[in-house]
Structures are given as C-alpha cells and as structure tokens.
Amino acid sequence: MSRRSLTLLVAGFLTLALAVVGAVLPVPYVVLSPGPTENTIGDVKGKPVISISGHETYPTDGRLSLVTVAYQGGPDNRLDLVTALRGWLDPTVAVVPEETLFPRTSSAKEVEEQNTQEMTDSQQSATAAALNALKIPIQKTISVAATDKGAPADGRLKPGDEITAVDGAPAGALESVAAAVQKHKPGEQVTFTVKRGTTTSDVVVGTKQGPDGHAVVGVRMRSAYRFPFKVDISVGEVGGPSAGLMFSLGIYDKLTPGSLTGGKSVAGTGTIDPTGVVGPIGGIEQKMVGARKAGATVFLTPSGNCADAVRAVPAGMRLVKVDTLDGAIKALDALRSGSANLPSCPAS
C-alpha cells in the first residue's frame, strides 16, 4: 500500500472514529426550541383552558395564545455532541449551558417541582390581576408553601393549607404570622387555625430556636387569594410563570362582552403580579418563532424583552410592547379598532 493510500485510510478511520464518539459523547448543554402554543380562550384536548363558574361569561373569538419553550437535554438525559452542534447551526433554537435551566444546587426533580409551583402561583396572580382590573373584590389569604424537613411544622402543616389565625388572632399578613410565632419562647406551642380543603381546624405546632434566637416552626408561607367565583386553568404539563399575562387576558376576555382580539390571532408572554405589572421572561426568540408558526401576527412583548425581540422577530409578526395588564388591554382595543398608534418595541 502506498504512503498516500495509507494516509487517506488513517484519516478516514480517524474521521469515522470522531463521528462515532461525537454521536455518543454527552455534553453539559441544553437545546431550547419553539414549544407548543395554546389558545387561552380556546380548548386543549376538548377541555377549556380557562373555565369560569359562578359568574356570567361572554363568547370570545380569535386567539390569545400563550407560548412555550421546549428543551432537550438535562442532567438525566444529556445531549450528545452532534445534537448540540446541530443546534448551534439552527437559527430557530438556542444551545445554552445546562446550569441555565438546571442549577447545580438543585436536582432535575426539584427544578420540575419549582416550575410546577411557579405555574400554580402564576395562575393565582393572573386571576387576581384580571379581577382587580375589573374592580371585582378579592380576598388576600396566607397559605403554606412548604415545611422544612424535620422541623416542628413538618407533617403538621401541609402545602396548600390556608392559615386563617394564629393563637386565635386573625392572620393579617405574612409578617404578622411570623411575629405571632416569635412571641413564643423556643419550645412552646403555637396554635394555627387552618383551612384544609373544606375543613377548618386548629393545628398545634411546637417551636424550636431559630438562627436568630427566636422561636420558629419551620414553615414557608406565601400570599394567596380567595376569589368570589371559581376560575380553573388547565394547560397540561406547561410549567413556569411566563404565561401569566396571557392567562389574565383570557380571563378578562371571558368576563367582558365582546372580543379583545377582534378575531385576530394574538400571542404573547410575560409574568404578571396581582397588581397587573408585566415582567420579562426567558426564551423570547423561540417563543416568537412558535407563535408565528401557529399563525399569530401580533406578539405582546414585555418591555424588558424588547431588545432581544426586535433582533429576532419573525417576518409577518408585529411586536406590541406591554408593561401592565391595563396597557395590554388598551393596546388590544386600539388594534381591534384599526388604530396604528400602538406601543412598539424600539428598533435596536
């Protein structure tokens, strides 16, 4: 065999070996791609995304679509090098370090649980924001988010419990509950009045000394809300807080006469708090691609995401900048009336 033939043979073998290794070599990256869109005033698998009972609702049309990001990879299912390289060459996806989605301090299961909790909190905030916009009174409550393992509250208080009183005094705010516990000496007992489902009962919990010397029970609380009628939101396995704005708009649309969209296909994203303030999210580029593929021509964009959005907006899609739920409603009113005066993301 000539030297030239031998060189070509060795080079071919090395190329093949590198290709094989690349196909199986795991890398600590995650591929983000456009995920499914869901119409918040429509149905998913025959079930309304938003169901309202106990209050009058009105017909809607068009689409108010939430958008999602799908991911491939993660600590339990690492990407191979070839898939990562393919992602880097695709302008519609992003390849990011694994710890962007999965912090090293959390397991994949913990991240999933956090995303689920964020979705639950987002639905509460979205409902509160929509009802506040409609001047419908709501009641703020305090509920148990979690208990610390091995703490006095562990096994006594449960996630979702509504704390209505402490030692017989009504629970006003998160700070007042903590203050009521700290009135006790470590080792003493605290009586929580708790609503669990449809049952209200007193739960006696011991205390221990916290890092600052005060009595603690080892419970983490969050603000929640009691609404005057039932609002159910169902989107399957979608997680995270970024659909808050679109949930609020869907609820508002169903509770008001007429159509917010005027029959148009509108998509959008953004977190929302109970006062209606809209916050930025991640994956804006992939979400816009998914929305456009689903037929959306208007995309409601948190102002904090404008800089990234204008650099990647798909052809045929109009960006409308939003800071609040009220601003989004006014923008949709203007869009429906044919006005050209809409808040837009400035060109970068």
Side-chain angles (χ1 to χ4, degrees), residues 74-263:
D76 297 333
N77 186 26
R78 280 263 168 85
L79 288 180
D80 59 73
L81 182 59
V82 170
T83 302
L85 290 172
R86 191 183 300 125
W88 272 309
L89 298 174
D90 187 342
T92 68
V93 306
V95 181
V96 298
E98 192 175 80
E99 56 264 28
T100 304
L101 268 67
F102 300 94
R104 293 178 180 177
T105 55
S106 303
S107 66
K109 182 180 179 182
E110 288 172 335
V111 170
E112 183 180 343
E113 290 173 348
Q114 180 181 347
N115 286 338
T116 300
Q117 185 59 59
E118 286 178 343
M119 170 58 80
T120 300
D121 293 345
S122 174
Q123 292 173 1
Q124 277 260 316
S125 294
T127 304
L131 269 56
N132 281 330
L134 291 166
K135 303 296 190 290
I136 296 174
I138 60 177
Q139 183 179 352
K140 193 172 184 178
T141 64
I142 298 169
S143 68
V144 174
T147 56
D148 297 333
K149 189 173 182 180
D154 188 20
R156 302 289 295 162
L157 298 175
K158 300 183 181 298
D161 284 351
E162 181 185 325
I163 298 173
T164 60
V166 183
D167 292 328
L174 296 177
E175 296 79 10
S176 63
V177 173
V181 172
Q182 290 177 2
K183 286 181 180 178
H184 291 267
K185 296 178 180 179
E188 293 181 346
Q189 294 182 323
V190 184
T191 300
F192 291 90
T193 303
V194 170
K195 184 177 181 182
R196 185 176 296 165
T198 59
T199 303
T200 299
S201 60
D202 288 340
V203 178
V204 178
V205 180
T207 62
K208 68 176 184 178
Q209 183 171 306
D212 60 358
H214 291 108
V216 297
V217 297
V219 63
R220 281 171 277 165
M221 302 172 290
R222 64 172 179 265
S223 295
Y225 300 89
R226 187 181 298 124
F227 305 115
F229 49 88
K230 192 172 183 180
V231 179
D232 282 332
I233 301 176
S234 177
V235 285
E237 297 181 359
V238 176
S242 65
L245 170 63
M246 302 312 292
F247 287 146
S248 281
L249 289 171
I251 294 166
Y252 185 96
D253 198 8
K254 289 197 167 196
L255 290 174
T256 52
S259 166
L260 269 182
T261 68

Side-chain angles (χ1 to χ4, degrees), residues 269-270 279-284 301-310 345:
T269 189
I281 50 76
I284 188 76
T301 311
S303 58
N305 288 119
C306 272
D308 291 327
V310 294
C345 289

